[in-house]
Amino acid sequence: MKKTDGQSRMHMWRLLLAAGAAGAILLPLASMPARAAEQEAIVGKIDYLTAPFRQERILDWGNRPNWSPDGRRIVFTKDDLVDGPAYEIDVKTKKVRCLTCKFGKTQFVTRIFYLPDNSFLIEAAPGMAGGSGGSGDAGRTELFWMPKSLGKPVSLGTGAMGDIAIARTLNADKSVNVAWSRPRDKGLQLVKAKLKNDGRTAQFSDIELLYDYKIGQPGETSFPEAYEFIDGGRAVMFWTIEPRTVDSEMYKVDVASKAVSKVYATSAHNETHLFPDERYGLEESNYASDPDGPYRGVSGLGKSGVEMVLQMKGVANAKEVAAANSDKGFDIFVVTMDGKSRRPLTNISPSGAQAHQSIVSPDGRQIAFAIKGSKDGASPYPVGLYVGTFGK
């Protein structure tokens, strides 16, 4: 899923539980990427809590953006809940092209990501025939590789759910490290592997199980959704819901030891991607629209999703509690990775709209995200794809 929203997670919980039997400027604060060493110097100079920040709507539609390795282009989908073609936009010229339309009945993707060599990783329903979208994230989607020449996508032979963690650079053998969640009997497994291609086809190797979750098992964490490689690639950060607290939190699993630990704590719903130097995170949360009380951590989920989570926890009046504590919109924040400091970059959730599906550019100077309108259509914030830039 983050990058997922509440409705996607609502469908995910429904399917998992069934299997387990149980250009506008928004309100801030109320160039070409460099080589690796230079990039480190660039992002190290940015104080994301205080740096000037401006936002621009680059397209009046689109969702689930992902940056190209050179930071010049963004690949995206039309919707975050219904499969559709994959598109690409040039950030400077605003020119849009469809990447998969030529494949006819097999052009439909759930998510699409750039890989460091400019080829693509695709998450889609079997055969890329559509019918997946948000609900399919829970068990119907598979992974595909598509060459940068836009040749026919190749199945990678594995199921997948939600967001995908992709290393920023290639390994010495030209493979790239990828981590994702794949369905298992009554649960999900977080796995890591090397993905290598020869320009025509691709395959995974060295698949390694990092974390295994079965519905109902005791522990601090539940299902895993991969987000980032963290700690210099030595760990994988994932989003989860804590069964005990009913909070959504970011955790990480150490690749070598398989030890799981919390990245940072907050009482509100949070989903976080990293800035390149790992000092800061780009967080989606709902502090402005969240209710107070013990159920803040799942309030970004849809009503049905919250009800199911509460039923799992044994809350007797789950339906009533869910109605009062669900469907709260997201805003986007910068957060220090100790969780102690936070800066709002948007302030639209009180209107019923939400800013979500956010992702950081390779050089750390920009972010991309989508704005989704309010259900009643009354929000004054224009929907579409946005780019935010730090610095003058």
Side-chain angles (χ1 to χ4, degrees):
M1 283 168 227
K2 205 191 118 226
K3 341 235 22 19
T4 50
D5 69 5
Q7 287 178 287
S8 293
R9 289 201 170 85
M10 176 187 71
H11 290 301
M12 177 186 68
W13 277 104
R14 178 180 292 120
L15 292 179
L16 286 177
L17 285 171
I25 302 297
L26 305 183
L27 296 176
L29 285 180
S31 71
M32 285 194 55
R35 294 185 301 271
E38 295 171 335
Q39 176 177 310
E40 214 171 291
I42 288 174
V43 297
K45 293 179 180 178
I46 300 177
D47 181 347
Y48 294 103
L49 296 178
T50 61
F53 181 72
R54 63 186 186 278
Q55 302 172 26
E56 175 191 10
R57 186 171 70 151
I58 63 171
L59 195 63
D60 60 3
W61 59 281
N63 221 297
R64 287 184 167 163
N66 184 259
W67 289 94
S68 65
D70 64 6
R72 291 179 169 182
R73 294 156 290 136
I74 292 172
V75 72
F76 64 99
T77 61
K78 183 177 181 180
D79 196 278
D80 64 326
L81 295 175
V82 179
D83 281 358
Y87 298 91
E88 181 184 70
I89 183 171
D90 184 292
V91 175
K92 183 177 181 180
T93 67
K94 311 301 188 291
K95 183 178 179 180
V96 175
R97 66 169 178 160
C98 183
L99 303 182
T100 61
C101 288
K102 65 180 181 180
F103 300 131
K105 294 181 180 179
T106 58
Q107 64 175 295
F108 304 103
V109 310
T110 305
R111 302 167 185 270
I112 183 167
F113 308 84
Y114 287 101
L115 295 170
D117 65 355
N118 284 296
S119 62
F120 301 88
L121 184 64
I122 290 172
E123 190 175 343
M128 291 178 55
S132 179
S135 62
D137 281 347
R140 289 200 67 240
T141 48
E142 301 175 356
L143 291 182
F144 299 80
W145 173 82
M146 184 169 70
K148 60 183 178 182
S149 64
L150 305 186
K152 185 70 175 177
V154 176
S155 173
L156 294 171
T158 178
M161 186 286 293
D163 210 348
I164 310 290
I166 301 171
R168 296 177 183 271
T169 57
L170 296 175
N171 298 315
D173 64 356
K174 304 301 182 183
S175 66
V176 59
N177 291 336
V178 178
W180 72 100
S181 289
R182 66 183 184 188
R184 56 103 79 197
D185 181 35
K186 300 180 180 179
L188 288 170
Q189 295 177 329
L190 179 61
V191 297
K192 169 188 171 292
K194 290 183 176 182
L195 176 60
K196 191 173 183 179
N197 74 83
D198 61 5
R200 300 182 305 277
T201 189
Q203 62 181 7
F204 281 121
S205 66
D206 302 326
I207 297 178
E208 182 177 1
L209 177 62
L210 300 181
Y211 171 78
D212 194 8
Y213 171 68
K214 187 174 183 178
I215 293 174
Q217 74 182 32
E220 288 298 307
T221 57
S222 60
F223 66 89
E225 180 186 2
Y227 264 61
E228 297 273 6
F229 283 93
I230 193 172
D231 297 340
R234 296 184 300 276
V236 175
M237 183 168 69
F238 63 94
W239 182 88
T240 190
I241 290 179
E242 298 176 336
R244 182 178 58 83
T245 64
V246 201
D247 279 350
S248 69
E249 299 283 358
M250 302 306 301
Y251 276 73
K252 64 181 178 180
V253 54
D254 184 271
V255 172
S257 69
K258 309 302 185 290
V260 173
S261 59
K262 187 179 293 189
V263 177
Y264 72 100
T266 173
S267 59
H269 187 116
N270 68 305
E271 304 172 35
T272 308
H273 281 278
L274 294 175
F275 284 86
D277 69 352
E278 301 188 16
R279 295 180 303 146
Y280 298 89
L282 184 64
E283 180 189 69
E284 294 176 13
S285 193
N286 45 10
Y287 295 93
S289 61
D290 237 344
D292 291 324
Y295 304 113
R296 291 177 57 116
V298 291
S299 62
L301 300 177
K303 185 186 300 183
S304 297
V306 174
E307 183 177 346
M308 290 177 184
V309 171
L310 296 176
Q311 286 174 345
M312 288 178 66
K313 187 176 171 60
V315 176
N317 59 336
K319 185 173 184 179
E320 292 76 13
V321 174
N325 294 274
S326 62
D327 284 324
K328 305 299 179 179
F330 290 143
D331 272 301
I332 297 174
F333 301 79
V334 168
V335 61
T336 55
M337 290 311 293
D338 60 7
K340 294 180 179 179
S341 299
R342 183 172 282 100
R343 174 191 182 182
L345 300 178
T346 65
N347 182 29
I348 69 172
S349 62
S351 74
Q354 69 171 326
H356 69 160
Q357 304 293 345
S358 57
I359 191 72
V360 181
S361 67
D363 67 358
R365 285 196 178 277
Q366 294 183 298
I367 65 171
F369 61 96
I371 285 186
K372 207 170 188 178
S374 58
K375 292 183 178 180
D376 61 7
S379 170
Y381 299 99
V383 301
L385 286 180
Y386 285 73
V387 167
T389 303
F390 295 92
K392 297 179 180 179

